[in-house]
Amino acid sequence: MKLWIYPLMVVFAASCYGTLSTMIKLAIGDGYTASEATSSQYIIGFLLAFIIYMVTQRKLPRFNGGFKIVLLAGIFTGLTGIVYGQALIYLPASLAVVMLFQFTWIGTLIDCILRRRLPSRPEVISLIILFVGTILAAGVIDVDLSGIDWKGWVFGFSAALSFSLNMNVNTKQVVGMNTTTRLLFVSFFAMIMITLFQSPEIIWNGKLFTEPLIFYGLALGLLGIIIPIYLFVIAVPKVGGAVSSILSAMELPVAVTVSVIVLSEALSWIQVLGIAIILVGMCIPTLAGISRNKKRNSV
């Protein structure tokens, strides 16, 4: 498979995550709480994963190894949704996005610690560019930070840390477990995390299966669970945790663009500049890696 396919998978998976905030806002506009929308995402996401598994595998799922890896992946997937939702309670949406996007450097730091290495020059340059672009694209330059509850900072940073840990867990391959089986178990454990802390009552009170929540759940489950987890499981081990964290910065430009198109939110020229800077920063480590591989193969 061509070298650029795996980075492209990570970018596409992150782009799917970028649509979620707009869909949750639409659900809130239809009278649902953010907790109900998030719960529908993980519950229906698991049901979709179960259907895909039964159609393609046609046998009962079982562990042949790798229980700890898929358990941690599921926990961190669900935990990210929980703590980021809490951060939005205390922080302006733009600032919450900036806090979440600290996963770019946190993911690189974790990867360096685990591999006992120093960050490469392209990674350092990319992270600096991404930080500048994130500040501009999120539109937080004129945000008043006084009076913000300390809990917002803690939850925001926790979301970034949880997402980074999830990304690094996904670098671990599980021998004897195919992608569909791993998707099933990860989505199951993520659903358990969400139902423990969000709104599981939408199952037994029947609200989950009413319109339009079920349609929001299908869209959120597909774009927030099925596609990104499936692609991350395939691509992240090939790309690496550090570069995957950097490429996942694509989530912010997509989130801003979708909110402008669907919600008619204002977009300043500073935000456009920030999006352009993010795109440049994302390309640096990928192009550097492809260049290294070509040189290695030509020797």
Side-chain angles (χ1 to χ4, degrees), residues 50-82:
F50 181 76
I51 292 171
I52 292 171
Y53 178 86
M54 295 306 296
V55 169
T56 58
Q57 306 299 309
R58 299 180 181 180
K59 61 182 179 180
L60 292 177
R62 63 179 182 177
F63 283 104
N64 293 320
F67 174 79
K68 291 182 179 179
I69 294 175
V70 294
L71 174 63
L72 287 174
I75 289 174
F76 288 136
T77 297
L79 184 61
T80 302
I82 293 170

Side-chain angles (χ1 to χ4, degrees), residues 56 79 88 119 122 141 148 231:
T56 58
L79 184 61
L88 288 170
I141 293 179
I148 293 179
L231 293 179

Side-chain angles (χ1 to χ4, degrees), residues 176-193:
M177 181 180 292
N178 60 32
T179 305
T180 305
T181 305
R182 184 163 174 170
L183 169 66
L184 175 67
F185 283 121
V186 170
S187 63
F188 172 73
F189 291 126
M191 180 191 68
I192 295 300
M193 282 291 295

